Amino acid sequence: MSEAAQAPSSGWRKSYLLLFAVAAVALLAVMVCGNAAVPFSILTLAAIAGLTFFLAVPRRTGPGGIAHLQPVQDAAMLTDSAKDILECVDEPVLILDPQGRVVFANKASQPLVGADAEKKHISAVLRTPEVLEAVERVLGGASSETIAFSVLVPVQHHYEAHITRTGGFLVLVRVRDLTEIRRAEELRADFVANASHELRTPLAAVTGFIDTLRGHARDDTPARERFLEIMSVEAARMRRLIEDLLSLTRIELNEHNPPAGEVDVAAVIHDVVAVLSPLTAEGRIVIQDAKEPLMVVGDRDELTQVFQNLIHNAIKYGRAGGEVRVRFARAEAPSKREGAGQVVVAIQDEGEGISREAIPRLTERFYRVDVKRSRERGGTGLGLAIVKHILNRHHGRLQIESVPGDGSTFTVFLPGVSLPAAGHN
């Protein structure tokens, strides 16, 4: 073929190669660096693979100035530009050579494979048989593999690895952390199961008593009065459960929108105590006087719900005739940006206490230390979950301390608001 005939072909190939490079860079920049919520898709992997291949494979110039590709034989051939782009990926990414050695591992992969994974064989940094077998299949000629696997220590995590060839020489391994998705699915399933169980129990009781009243207890006045009282209690329990479920759903939907108003926490607690005092029977609620208004940025109704739940729990589960003590304090802010410090409210009871292993689970939905006792006292198992989500919205937190046999202390931390200096207009 003449040189004149080769020239158009050479120009077309150069234009095609340039177009491929520009398209790959643009697509990857938008999908990886410009959008943190990019889905895990074949398209994303194709862009990474294509760009890695184009930047990593050295070229030699042949007749007519046409660039020809030759296989990668050395880790140094992976260019700095390719590494910089792959560092933008917020999920673990590994590049393997044809022998299965790691020639590149981005920073996001360090918690999974360690900080010194490069130059090691994949089997030395990721000891998961399912992944290693998939890598072997791709190195042996398979185009791609997608494998789900779990890491049990130090904390259980669930992952999905997508392994694919890049131009026939390198192998790209991208890992997606599915732990939060799995946990959300489990929580959703548990929530549905628990909610249906909690509603089914009182509903079955009410239905059974209705059938009894229609049958042999139709003319039994004492039995009828006793059954109607139980039905009233069970109906009230269902109502509380539904109200708490609706309240929790509403709070979760609004959790990402922080409140804007200012609230005096000390005044809120005095109002709550006034409402709950008739429930204390022989015991009493002792409030430490606040020396000044304790202002926080918050929603008054939601904070009222927080302290009603906590003080009511202290009354329900405290010792008969014992005291519930409420103390106020100020603490330094966890960061310098929060110059006003924190408002601290501690609610202490004189109850039986809570075992150490149960404390981390207290804010889970429907979790109860003593199921029978909680139901007898009207608990729904949602109170502390509601407290947790309200405090999340207020950028606060709940600390629980307890010694079995010596009572419990529930401490609320809320970001404070600086008060104007005296005499300052």
Side-chain angles (χ1 to χ4, degrees):
M1 183 180 293
S2 66
E3 291 183 4
Q6 289 180 2
S9 176
S10 173
W12 179 85
R13 293 184 185 185
K14 287 181 179 180
S15 299
Y16 179 81
L17 198 57
L18 180 60
L19 180 62
F20 171 78
V22 172
V25 172
L27 178 61
L28 186 60
V30 170
M31 298 184 72
V32 176
C33 296
N35 184 357
V38 176
F40 184 71
S41 64
I42 299 299
L43 186 58
T44 307
L45 290 172
I48 296 176
L51 181 60
T52 304
F53 176 63
F54 178 75
L55 294 175
V57 178
R59 295 159 182 80
R60 58 181 175 84
T61 303
I66 302 174
H68 296 276
L69 304 179
Q70 66 182 27
V72 172
Q73 300 295 338
D74 187 67
M77 294 179 181
L78 189 66
T79 67
D80 291 338
S81 297
K83 293 179 180 179
D84 290 342
I85 292 174
L86 291 174
E87 286 293 0
C88 291
V89 182
D90 57 0
E91 294 174 337
V93 174
L94 308 175
I95 304 293
L96 311 181
D97 68 9
Q99 287 72 47
R101 294 189 299 266
V102 179
V103 299
F104 173 78
N106 67 350
K107 291 181 181 178
S109 68
Q110 291 183 6
L112 184 64
V113 299
D116 57 347
E118 293 184 6
K119 299 182 181 180
K120 294 182 179 180
H121 194 273
I122 183 65
S123 62
V125 298
L126 192 59
R127 297 178 177 86
T128 306
E130 303 94 325
V131 177
L132 298 180
E133 291 170 4
V135 168
E136 288 296 327
R137 289 193 292 269
V138 172
L139 289 173
S143 59
S144 65
E145 293 272 348
T146 299
I147 296 294
F149 66 100
S150 298
V151 175
L152 302 180
V153 292
V155 179
Q156 186 176 40
H157 278 77
H158 303 284
Y159 298 99
E160 182 180 75
H162 189 87
I163 304 143
T164 187
R165 300 179 69 85
T166 63
F169 307 112
L170 297 176
V171 171
L172 177 119
V173 181
R174 185 176 179 188
V175 181
R176 184 187 183 194
D177 192 339
L178 301 179
T179 305
E180 292 302 321
I181 296 175
R182 292 281 183 88
R183 286 177 180 169
E185 291 173 350
E186 292 171 0
L187 285 174
R188 189 182 304 113
D190 290 344
F191 177 76
V192 172
N194 286 324
S196 61
H197 173 74
E198 293 291 335
L199 286 169
R200 188 182 299 116
T201 302
L203 186 60
V206 170
T207 303
F209 287 128
I210 290 174
D211 292 339
T212 303
L213 290 173
R214 285 176 172 173
H216 63 271
R218 181 193 302 269
D219 300 321
D220 188 338
T221 301
R224 183 170 65 246
E225 293 300 321
R226 185 172 69 256
F227 292 161
L228 288 173
E229 178 62 26
I230 297 174
M231 290 167 62
S232 176
V233 171
E234 295 296 335
R237 178 181 162 194
M238 283 191 288
R239 183 177 64 252
R240 287 193 303 271
L241 180 59
I242 292 170
E243 288 173 352
D244 280 355
L245 286 171
L246 292 175
S247 178
L248 183 57
T249 300
R250 183 175 61 253
I251 291 165
E252 287 181 321
L253 289 175
N254 205 32
E255 192 170 346
H256 64 286
N257 295 320
E262 292 187 4
V263 181
D264 181 1
V265 171
V268 168
I269 290 178
H270 277 281
D271 292 343
V272 168
V273 170
V275 172
L276 296 179
S277 289
L279 302 178
T280 58
E282 298 177 0
R284 62 194 182 106
I285 303 174
V286 179
I287 305 178
Q288 176 193 59
D289 289 333
K291 298 180 180 179
E292 60 180 357
L294 298 173
M295 305 301 296
V296 300
V297 176
D299 181 301
R300 185 180 181 89
D301 290 341
E302 289 190 351
L303 291 178
T304 297
Q305 191 171 10
V306 165
F307 293 112
Q308 275 185 341
N309 283 346
L310 293 177
I311 295 175
H312 194 195
N313 280 352
I315 295 170
K316 284 193 300 184
Y317 301 113
R319 176 173 53 82
E323 291 183 347
V324 173
R325 291 181 287 275
V326 182
R327 301 191 306 273
F328 301 107
R330 285 189 178 274
E332 293 184 2
S335 66
K336 293 183 179 179
R337 290 179 298 177
E338 303 175 52
Q342 290 186 310
V343 170
V344 182
V345 182
I347 299 164
Q348 183 178 10
D349 64 50
E350 297 179 342
E352 298 176 2
I354 304 165
S355 64
R356 185 175 181 179
E357 60 272 14
I359 289 177
R361 301 194 60 191
L362 289 178
T363 56
E364 292 181 13
R365 299 170 182 177
F366 298 110
Y367 180 80
R368 299 178 175 95
V369 177
D370 186 334
V371 176
K372 181 180 179 182
R373 185 182 180 192
S374 174
R375 287 178 176 169
E376 288 175 349
R377 303 192 178 195
T380 63
L382 295 173
L384 291 179
I386 291 173
V387 167
K388 179 185 72 173
H389 287 286
I390 291 177
L391 293 181
N392 286 346
R393 182 181 180 228
H394 286 70
H395 300 295
R397 63 186 177 92
L398 176 67
Q399 177 180 294
I400 305 172
E401 299 172 303
S402 185
V403 177
D406 198 28
S408 306
T409 302
F410 290 75
T411 306
V412 172
F413 296 82
L414 290 165
V417 176
S418 296
L419 293 175
H424 180 73
N425 295 326

